């Protein structure tokens, strides 16, 4: 069986109030994935439910009722006969819930005694229970032991680690870690009001919040500068134990950026002391069609293979417009935790009959990149048909509103051996009204006073309907998938033909999309096997470390794209960054304490992958 990231599941729409209207977008993020009763249960944020599967490829969505489904970063863990659930809420005690049968919908509530954000429950081999949380640019990741019967704290919470963005390059915020400030205008206006009152200023005369921050005492000033500056959130804790060692994972840098990673610390005790693992960040996917691999969970499947699931980024309609990804993971001979995201949004084989090879290279290559595209219409030049083959989820084609039968067609140039197609439908929304009538009918246990009137997740999903066709000559068409009448809503639908089909032209006719008056697609991604030669290896590679956290790379080649690999040992090139067309790149994700890195640049085209030579990175500091 094959799957392709982002995971092919229905992602729910939510409305978030903005001034007098609302922004609408799909979201799922922060997934907790566990095995319970021989099934896989995945709980993401903002879905009003969870997903269940017997094979991690085919997922069913299930509703949740009576639980805080509007609280972010739901955590699930198995403890004894129960599946335990908790979620994030500041300034109010967070409750725990447990069930012996999640699909029954019946959960027992355990009254909470403290508040937290981005929780993670961990049950050690001896039955002792530990709890981790944190989601802040000004506070660390915390941990504490819990009484497994009452879920009350045993002792005081411990600060386990904070950010080290000056030494751990992967923690820096911004696109490619460019350290841009994270500006939230609404939040800054709220601070202006509050600080003006404290300092005796007229808020209408304050042009920028930093005018007020400069007037604060030093301790408060430093706190506010860190809160508003390019400081990463330390968030998304997840604990894994392997061969007696504890691996506390965390996310940093910001979910809205392409570089959202998961790092990992190691310890000999659940509460530390923790030291940074050599392999960091262990989950990192900044390139390709849909980047991002942070804030997730690590688990073993029923055949003892390791997997990591995490958050992927779109962040166009809203910074929290996100999806879910799943990648092979594991521990190497030295007990180092790794996650393989090479070609991580291409089709991945999940073989139920044998042990998973976490470093297996793709069976099928990308055939659609940069190919000719035609469409029945297009809204404007910035939303042209060519955007569906540029391998960028943040660009899209949009048909004219009056186009009654919108279609878009990819020309591969010749008939090719196609094995899979991923159709990525996009949302292109204006601001809309909050759905007041539906919100008023909402279950009051779900829609609390805290968010009532400001956020709403749709209960039901309108379908995505389309017709997928193939042709050898562009005139005679054969149906590949008729989904004109389906009731499913799959914005990243993935279709597989393991034996292959031969076509030159692929056409999608869009019948309907939820909340869209016209067709809108970000990607038609076609995978298969070319009949030519794999590219020549890259030449003239230069790799220079220009600071403790940054390195410059350059090379020569004539491939469609390149997968940049690097790591702290020659045979541990665990990090990757995919680029198309470029022949130079600055990587800003290094750890300053790591004295030596190695790099390899692989070239790929429609026919295969050609490995480069592994080279040491020269230190030019």
């Amino acid at each position: 069986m094959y799957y392709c990231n982002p995971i092919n599941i229905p992602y729910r729409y939510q409305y978030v109030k903005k001034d007098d209207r609302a922004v609408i977008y799909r979201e799922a993020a922060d997934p907790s994935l566990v095995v319970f009763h021989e099934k896989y249960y995945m709980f993401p944020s903002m879905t009003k439910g969870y997903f269940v599967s017997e094979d991690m490829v085919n997922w069913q969505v299930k509703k949740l009722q009576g639980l805080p489904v509007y609280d972010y970063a739901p955590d699930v863990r198995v403890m004894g006969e129960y599946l335990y659930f908790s979620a994030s809420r500041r300034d109010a005690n967070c409750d725990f819930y447990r069930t012996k049968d999640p699909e029954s919908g019946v959960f027992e509530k355990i009254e909470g005694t403290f508040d937290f954000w981005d929780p993670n429950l961990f049950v050690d081999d001896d039955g002792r229970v530990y709890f981790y949380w944190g989601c802040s640019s000004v506070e660390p990741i915390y941990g504490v032991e819990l009484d497994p019967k009452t879920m009350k704290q045993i002792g005081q919470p411990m600060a386990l680690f904070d950010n080290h963005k000056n030494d751990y390059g992967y923690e820096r915020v911004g696109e490619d870690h460019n350290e841009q400030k994270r500006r939230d205008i609404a939040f800054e206006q709220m601070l202006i009001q509050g600080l003006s009152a404290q300092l005796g200023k007229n808020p209408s005369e304050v042009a920028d919040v930093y005018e007020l921050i400069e007037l604060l005492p030093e301790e408060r000033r430093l706190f506010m500068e860190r809160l508003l500056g390019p400081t990463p959130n330390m968030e998304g804790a997840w604990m894994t134990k392997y061969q007696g060692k504890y691996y506390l994972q965390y996310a940093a840098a910001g979910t809205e950026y392409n570089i959202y990673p998961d790092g990992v610390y190691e310890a000999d005790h659940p509460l530390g002391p923790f030291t940074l693992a050599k392999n960091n960040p262990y989950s990192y996917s900044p390139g390709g069609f849909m980047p991002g691999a942070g804030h997730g969970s690590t688990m073993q499947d029923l055949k003892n293979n390791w997997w990591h699931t995490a958050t992927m980024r779109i962040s166009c309609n809203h910074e929290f417009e996100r999806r879910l990804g799943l990648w092979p993971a594991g521990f190497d001979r030295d007990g180092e935790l790794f996650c393989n995201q090479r070609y991580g949004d291409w089709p991945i084989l999940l073989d139920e009959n044998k042990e998973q090879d976490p470093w297996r290279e793709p069976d099928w290559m990308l055939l659609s990149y940069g190919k000719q595209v035609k469409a029945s219409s297009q809204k404007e030049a910035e939303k042209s048909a060519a955007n569906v083959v540029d391998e960028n989820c943040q660009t899209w084609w949009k048909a004219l509103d009056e186009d009654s039968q919108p279609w878009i067609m990819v020309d591969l140039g010749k008939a090719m051996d196609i094995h899979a197609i991923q159709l990525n439908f996009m949302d292109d929304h204006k601001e809309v009204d909050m759905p007041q009538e539906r919100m008023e009918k909402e279950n009051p246990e779900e829609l609390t006073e805290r968010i009532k009137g400001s956020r709403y997740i749709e209960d039901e999903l309108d379908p995505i309907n389309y017709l997928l066709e193939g042709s050898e000559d562009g005139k005679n068409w054969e149906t590949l998938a008729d989904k004109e009448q389906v009731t499913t809503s799959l914005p990243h639908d993935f279709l597989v033909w393991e034996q292959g089909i031969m076509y030159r032209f692929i056409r999608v006719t869009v019948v309907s999309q939820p909340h869209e008056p016209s067709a809108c697609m970000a990607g038609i991604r076609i995978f298969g096997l070319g009949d030519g030669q794999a590219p020549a290896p890259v030449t003239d590679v230069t790799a220079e470390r220009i600071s403790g956290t940054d390195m410059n790379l350059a090379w020569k080649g004539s491939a469609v794209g390149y997968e940049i690999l690097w790591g702290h040992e020659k045979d541990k090139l665990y990090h990757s960054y995919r680029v198309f067309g470029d022949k130079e790149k600055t990587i800003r994700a290094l750890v300053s304490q790591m004295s030596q890195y190695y790099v390899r640049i692989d070239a790929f085209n429609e026919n295969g992958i050609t490995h480069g030579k592994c080279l040491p990175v020269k230190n030019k500091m």
Side-chain angles (χ1 to χ4, degrees), residues 473-542:
D473 57 11
K475 299 177 181 178
N476 301 293
W477 295 91
E478 298 177 5
T479 298
L480 303 181
D482 185 348
K483 298 201 173 185
E484 296 176 279
Q485 302 295 326
V486 299
T487 59
T488 54
S489 189
L490 300 172
H492 307 284
D493 207 1
F494 181 60
L495 303 103
V496 175
W497 299 267
E498 291 198 29
Q499 302 307 311
I501 51 177
M502 292 293 295
Y503 293 104
R504 172 178 172 175
F505 300 92
I506 295 296
R507 184 172 69 183
V508 183
T509 301
V510 181
V511 177
S512 67
Q513 287 181 242
H515 301 290
E516 282 294 345
S518 55
C520 195
M521 296 190 73
I524 299 176
R525 310 178 68 220
I526 304 170
F527 299 92
L529 300 170
D531 59 2
Q533 297 296 314
V538 300
T539 60
D540 300 331
V541 178
T542 59

Side-chain angles (χ1 to χ4, degrees), residues 10 25 37 40 52 59 143 154-155 176 186 316 320 345 381 386 416 468 528 559:
Y25 61 97
H37 293 169
Y40 302 99
V52 61
W59 296 91
I154 300 175
D176 281 338
C316 287
F320 280 3
D345 54 16
M416 302 192 76
L468 178 66

Side-chain angles (χ1 to χ4, degrees), residues 378-396:
Q378 63 184 43
K379 188 103 175 174
E380 53 198 77
E382 290 77 13
K383 297 173 183 177
S384 71
N387 289 339
V388 302
V389 293
D390 68 356
E391 283 296 287
N392 181 356
C393 71
Q394 291 189 317
T395 64
W396 58 92

Side-chain angles (χ1 to χ4, degrees), residues 399-411:
L400 293 171
D401 292 352
E402 58 268 27
D403 189 344
S404 61
Q405 194 174 14
W407 57 263
I408 186 165
M409 179 183 72
V410 178
D411 180 358

Side-chain angles (χ1 to χ4, degrees), residues 34-37 41 43 50 62-67 75-86 96-110 121 151:
V34 298
V35 177
F36 187 59
H37 293 169
Y41 289 87
F43 285 69
Y50 62 93
K62 303 285 186 178
K63 284 189 176 183
L64 279 176
Q65 292 184 333
L67 271 65
D75 174 65
V76 292
R77 278 296 179 114
V78 178
M79 181 160 48
E81 298 180 284
Y82 290 93
L83 186 71
Y84 277 72
F85 173 100
S86 63
F96 293 89
Y97 301 82
R98 69 178 188 175
T99 180
K100 292 183 177 180
D101 180 10
E103 294 178 59
S104 72
V106 178
F107 285 77
E108 173 190 352
K109 181 178 176 179
I110 303 172
L121 181 70
M151 303 303 284

Side-chain angles (χ1 to χ4, degrees), residues 13 24-25 317 398 427-432 514-516:
Y13 284 101
I24 182 172
Y25 61 97
N317 293 285
K398 189 168 188 177
D427 297 308
D428 184 9
H429 298 310
K430 304 297 183 184
E431 292 181 9
V432 298
H515 301 290
E516 282 294 345

